[in-house]
Amino acid sequence: MALEHRKQVRKLVSIREGQRKRYFEEDQDIALKSLHTDHSYDVTSKKIVPDISNIVHEEVLDNDGNNLTPTDDWRIGRRVVELGVIADHLQQCKHCGLPLSLHNIIDIKTYGLGSVLKVLCTNKSCGNINAIPTGKQHDHKIWDVNTKLALAAIDLGLGEHQINGLLSILNIPTVSHCMIDSRIREVGDVIESVADQSMEEWTEKEKEMTRESDGNDNVTVSVDAAWQRRGSGRSYDSLTGHCSMIGSKTGKVINYKWRSKACRICQRAETSEKLANLGSTQSNESFNKSVAAKAPKNRFYGGSRSLAYRVAAAVAQKNTGHRYTVDVNVSSGLSPGLYTRKLATLRDIQARKRKAVAITTEAKLRRIALKASRNQSSSTFEVREGVCYQSNTMIDTATEDSDEKILEIPAPKNKPVENDSKPDISTMTHIYFDIEATGLGRTSHITQISARRGLETFSKYILPAREITPKAAEVTGLTFQNGSLYLLDKIVPAVGVKEGLTGFISFLEKSTNNVIFGHNIYNYDCPVLYNALDNCSLLDDFQSKIVGFVDTLKLFKLSFPNLGSYSQCKLCDTLINLSYDAHNAEDDVNALFRLVNEKIDNFTDVQKVFQSELSVFYNYVSLKQMNKNVPSLKQMLDDKVVTKRTANCIARSGLNLSHLRLAYSRNGRTGIKDIFSEPCGSKARVTKSAKIIDSVSDFLKEL
């Protein structure tokens, strides 16, 4: 038999080769063209391709003149095809047995997502037009792909409008409403059958498990109903709804019902306390979510049996998992296909993993913590912003004699998180920096500013806009009299603060990746400098010129522990045996330059004390807020309601007395607790101390 088969194959190959030589060789083709036609039955006289040039379509044009005429041109758009089916049908012509080519398509007919290609045989003695389907069919030429499309629409909660929207964006020909409805009815009946079968199986399992545990057939179930349209509290006018019954042992649906156009408010709501306490209906809520996914509340499917099919699909998925789509395909006489099985199996495995994780103690505690966090966040927003979604919300209730008409409490500003991968300071440009000022306050005015970069230096005396305090004058030797600046009773050339700061910024512009080194600059120099830059509207320009700061006070504490004093004078005297004129900014900068370059060779410590410019700016803003808000808390300090440290913390977080009064008026002690304990980075905004919260609440209650 095998030998006979091989002979037939060789014979067929020989015939095809002869046909090719006879009809397709170039010289043979030329000879045929030169033949004189003596008989009407000569093959060369036959018109192989029909003349369709006289067919005229009615053109449809839009407002811009673009041609929107429907066309069946097979080169336009995309198609859903099964490559195996096309390959099999292109293997040979139905008449002559020669291979066919997609290049010879002369027409296409679409049937939903399925298509039939009209392919012309290139054999000139044949000329047959072959009908090549792009996919499989079943039951009276119903395309498998259309049935699967209907199943996907039910499973994913899509309707005809959404399906065609997706297809049009993919540039695939859209499908008709009638076709979709027909296929949904076809596959919907199968889904209901699969759902009913699964309910029968799980009902028996529920009975078996009940008999094993309780010794009887009295199964315990949880029942819950849901509407496809949410009630508003005053109106319950949903046209559709469903109810599910789930066994307590198996957690599977053992019965369900759906209703359409028969919804009303239940008149027996007042007797609800007489219902049996069946415990949690969490399984029912999970089922309701599945129904909502397949029949979204923003779409209406209750006008036909489409809703019934979608609820049945949710039942089948609840009972058998995502592989119910495979069962529906098999029951419909369709091949589920590799990718359908693969994804269904993957989804079921993922669902089992999620369930296994969800029932662990850690996961439950995590959910409780997240819920508490969400509740606190929601409560805090209500306290900070007030009620913003009810009648008369916009009415201003502030009295005319109130100090401020504050309607909203500011949100906390989180401190920037320093990047773990800090820049390599050794490759940066080091700027050594120092200032002298009119006092020790962080809003003091600058009297001298100096900087050094390698051998290049910058130094300017600044005319302050306020008097120099006696203590500062004693330390620096600078005094300000009659509009002139004196150093040890001698006038020194000085410029205005804006001119001096502009010169400093110009000095920084000459290099890139600048890192400013200074002694105790985090606590003093930076706040004073930022305040001056802010007042002169030069802060943005300055920030663009630097990368960050290094406080050498912290650096030497880290590199040289157990020293008696870490003032710059003592460090120079102890470490490099240098005595100099301290509290002169220019001399301080030169001494610091020498101290760091001679004694710091481990840049690991430098990396540890480095702070980005953004972090230093955040500290300045917080300090500015504190200085602004602390005066309003004076009465609380005088009455010893809070300590000075707590008052500074409240003010630094952006809160003043008016904000506290507003929070208390909105939610009493809980309002104070919410804004004080509101998360700010990894810490509370102010404090979580119940003692402080009670003390502040009692104080506000007496106001």
Side-chain angles (χ1 to χ4, degrees):
M1 293 295 293
L3 180 62
E4 185 67 24
H5 176 70
R6 285 197 294 271
K7 287 182 178 180
Q8 291 178 355
V9 171
R10 286 197 296 269
K11 183 178 180 180
L12 179 60
V13 171
S14 177
I15 292 173
R16 289 180 178 175
E17 185 65 24
Q19 289 175 331
R20 289 192 187 94
K21 290 181 178 180
R22 187 178 303 115
Y23 294 107
F24 292 98
E25 287 186 359
E26 183 176 355
D27 55 345
Q28 187 73 13
D29 189 51
I30 295 174
L32 286 173
K33 289 181 180 179
S34 63
L35 286 176
H36 177 69
T37 305
D38 294 328
H39 305 284
S40 60
Y41 55 81
D42 183 16
V43 295
T44 59
S45 65
K46 294 181 181 179
K47 190 179 294 292
I48 303 300
V49 181
D51 183 12
I52 58 174
S53 60
N54 60 340
I55 297 178
V56 179
H57 292 283
E58 181 180 357
E59 291 190 342
V60 180
L61 304 179
D62 63 8
N63 295 332
D64 298 327
N66 297 317
N67 193 343
L68 302 180
T69 307
T71 177
D72 285 330
D73 188 349
W74 65 278
R75 291 184 178 274
I76 296 177
R78 295 177 173 83
R79 300 294 189 278
V80 178
V81 301
E82 295 183 52
L83 296 178
V85 174
I86 291 183
D88 292 341
H89 283 81
L90 290 177
Q91 189 173 4
Q92 61 182 15
C93 173
K94 292 181 180 179
H95 281 195
C96 67
L98 286 180
L100 301 174
S101 172
L102 288 177
H103 286 289
N104 298 315
I105 297 175
I106 62 173
D107 196 8
I108 183 172
K109 297 295 182 183
T110 58
Y111 304 90
L113 291 184
S115 304
V116 174
L117 307 175
K118 301 301 181 65
V119 181
L120 177 67
C121 179
T122 55
N123 186 347
K124 294 185 178 180
S125 63
C126 176
N128 180 55
I129 298 178
N130 296 265
I132 308 297
T134 59
K136 300 175 184 176
Q137 302 175 39
H138 67 279
D139 296 344
H140 308 293
K141 296 189 180 298
I142 296 175
W143 293 81
D144 290 8
V145 66
N146 292 335
T147 303
K148 290 176 180 287
L149 176 65
L151 176 58
I154 293 175
D155 185 57
L156 301 177
L158 303 178
E160 178 266 336
H161 185 78
Q162 290 75 32
I163 290 173
N164 281 331
L166 174 64
L167 295 177
S168 65
I169 292 175
L170 293 174
N171 199 22
I172 296 174
T174 56
V175 296
S176 69
H177 183 77
C178 294
M179 189 280 291
I180 283 291
D181 285 349
S182 298
R183 300 287 69 77
I184 285 180
R185 285 193 295 270
E186 174 198 356
V187 77
D189 292 337
V190 178
I191 291 175
E192 287 186 326
S193 175
V194 171
D196 291 341
Q197 183 179 354
S198 70
M199 288 191 298
E200 291 177 3
E201 294 176 358
W202 285 107
T203 299
E204 293 302 321
K205 291 182 181 180
E206 184 73 27
K207 291 180 180 179
E208 291 177 8
M209 296 178 69
T210 302
R211 281 194 293 267
E212 292 176 0
S213 61
D214 301 338
N216 55 57
D217 290 339
N218 299 326
V219 298
T220 302
V221 298
S222 60
V223 180
D224 189 32
W227 309 109
Q228 266 58 58
R229 178 174 176 177
R230 191 183 302 276
S232 64
R234 297 188 303 271
S235 175
Y236 299 88
D237 55 355
S238 176
L239 297 177
T240 57
H242 65 272
C243 181
S244 60
M245 179 184 292
I246 296 180
S248 62
K249 304 294 184 183
T250 60
K252 303 296 183 180
V253 179
I254 60 176
N255 206 345
Y256 77 98
K257 292 294 181 182
W258 70 277
R259 291 290 182 268
S260 179
K261 299 183 180 180
C263 301
R264 65 181 184 273
I265 301 175
C266 181
Q267 300 297 325
R268 300 181 182 178
E270 63 273 10
T271 64
S272 59
E273 67 275 4
K274 298 180 182 179
L275 296 176
N277 182 10
L278 300 179
S280 173
T281 59
Q282 187 174 1
S283 297
N284 299 80
E285 297 298 336
S286 174
F287 171 74
N288 292 340
K289 287 178 63 177
S290 297
V291 175
K294 301 182 188 308
K297 294 181 182 292
N298 62 340
R299 299 174 199 148
F300 179 68
Y301 295 112
S304 65
R305 284 196 59 83
S306 179
L307 177 63
Y309 301 146
R310 294 169 189 273
V311 177
V315 171
Q317 181 174 313
K318 176 71 174 177
N319 288 350
T320 62
H322 289 275
R323 71 174 184 275
Y324 90 92
T325 56
V326 176
D327 298 338
V328 171
N329 275 284
V330 173
S331 300
S332 300
L334 307 178
S335 171
L338 171 65
Y339 298 107
T340 303
R341 291 181 182 274
K342 186 176 180 180
L343 183 61
T345 303
L346 176 62
R347 292 280 171 81
D348 288 340
I349 292 174
Q350 291 172 338
R352 287 196 294 270
K353 286 183 177 180
R354 285 195 300 268
K355 184 176 181 180
V357 172
I359 62 177
T360 61
T361 303
E362 293 79 4
K364 292 179 180 179
L365 293 176
R366 172 68 174 165
R367 289 197 296 272
I368 293 173
L370 289 175
K371 183 177 180 180
S373 176
R374 287 193 298 269
N375 290 340
Q376 181 183 359
S377 178
S378 177
S379 177
T380 302
F381 281 138
E382 289 183 3
V383 171
R384 284 202 281 106
E385 300 175 3
V387 178
C388 54
Y389 196 70
Q390 70 176 30
S391 300
N392 301 327
T393 296
M394 295 306 296
I395 294 179
D396 187 1
T397 58
T399 59
E400 292 296 329
D401 57 349
S402 60
D403 296 333
E404 294 181 89
K405 291 185 178 182
I406 297 177
L407 298 178
E408 185 174 336
I409 299 171
K413 291 182 172 58
N414 293 328
K415 185 175 183 178
V417 179
E418 291 286 353
N419 195 342
D420 292 336
S421 57
K422 294 183 179 181
D424 186 1
I425 308 300
S426 62
T427 63
M428 300 288 175
T429 303
H430 298 178
I431 306 293
Y432 295 87
F433 163 81
D434 188 43
I435 61 171
E436 304 298 338
T438 57
L440 299 178
R442 303 309 186 260
T443 58
S444 300
H445 287 198
I446 298 175
T447 56
Q448 186 183 10
I449 180 170
S450 297
R452 177 171 177 172
R453 176 180 50 236
L455 299 178
E456 187 179 1
T457 61
F458 169 85
S459 183
K460 291 288 183 182
Y461 284 101
I462 307 295
L463 293 172
R466 65 173 62 168
E467 293 294 328
I468 301 175
T469 63
K471 180 66 175 176
E474 179 183 350
V475 171
T476 63
L478 293 172
T479 56
F480 184 61
Q481 301 174 7
N482 301 322
S484 299
L485 190 65
Y486 292 81
L487 175 61
L488 301 177
D489 298 329
K490 293 183 180 180
I491 295 180
V492 293
V495 298
V497 61
K498 188 166 187 177
E499 182 181 347
L501 293 174
T502 302
F504 177 53
I505 293 174
S506 299
F507 176 78
L508 295 175
E509 282 181 343
K510 297 178 182 178
S511 55
T512 58
N513 296 326
N514 296 312
V515 176
I516 294 181
F517 285 68
H519 206 71
N520 197 31
I521 57 173
Y522 291 161
N523 288 330
Y524 182 74
D525 297 64
C526 285
V528 173
L529 175 63
Y530 270 70
N531 182 63
L533 290 166
D534 197 7
N535 292 335
C536 295
S537 302
L538 295 173
L539 190 53
D540 290 341
D541 197 12
F542 170 77
Q543 289 175 305
S544 64
K545 304 297 185 299
I546 63 171
V547 176
F549 298 84
V550 172
D551 192 333
T552 55
L553 175 62
K554 294 181 177 293
L555 175 61
F556 279 94
K557 283 185 177 181
L558 186 63
S559 300
F560 296 90
N562 303 321
L563 293 180
S565 173
Y566 288 92
S567 67
Q568 185 170 318
C569 293
K570 291 292 184 180
L571 288 173
C572 289
D573 186 30
T574 303
L575 298 179
I576 60 175
N577 195 25
L578 173 66
S579 298
Y580 70 98
D581 185 12
H583 298 295
N584 179 292
E586 188 172 5
D587 293 338
D588 283 340
V589 164
N590 291 328
L592 184 63
F593 173 82
R594 180 179 168 185
L595 180 65
V596 172
N597 282 275
E598 290 185 13
K599 288 299 179 181
I600 300 298
D601 53 5
N602 182 8
F603 274 91
T604 302
D605 292 341
V606 179
Q607 296 283 146
K608 292 179 180 179
V609 300
F610 170 84
Q611 282 193 19
S612 67
E613 190 283 325
L614 187 62
S615 178
V616 174
F617 175 69
Y618 170 83
N619 293 334
Y620 163 70
V621 172
S622 299
L623 181 63
K624 188 176 180 180
Q625 285 184 333
M626 186 185 74
N627 293 333
K628 176 183 176 182
N629 295 328
V630 159
S632 70
L633 306 176
K634 184 177 183 301
Q635 186 177 351
M636 295 176 65
L637 287 169
D638 293 342
D639 294 348
K640 297 184 179 180
V641 176
V642 293
T643 63
K644 185 176 181 180
R645 181 177 179 277
T646 302
N648 288 342
C649 189
I650 294 173
R652 187 182 286 269
S653 71
L655 300 174
N656 57 34
L657 183 60
S658 297
H659 297 139
L660 301 183
R661 294 174 65 177
L662 182 60
Y664 186 82
S665 68
R666 285 174 174 169
N667 204 12
R669 180 189 181 280
T670 304
I672 298 299
K673 177 185 175 183
D674 287 338
I675 61 170
F676 273 17
S677 60
E678 184 176 8
C680 183
S682 59
K683 299 180 180 179
R685 179 173 187 168
V686 178
T687 181
K688 293 183 179 180
S689 170
K691 181 179 179 181
I692 296 176
I693 293 171
D694 290 339
S695 179
V696 173
S697 300
D698 293 341
F699 169 79
L700 295 172
K701 184 178 180 180
E702 299 298 327
L703 289 181

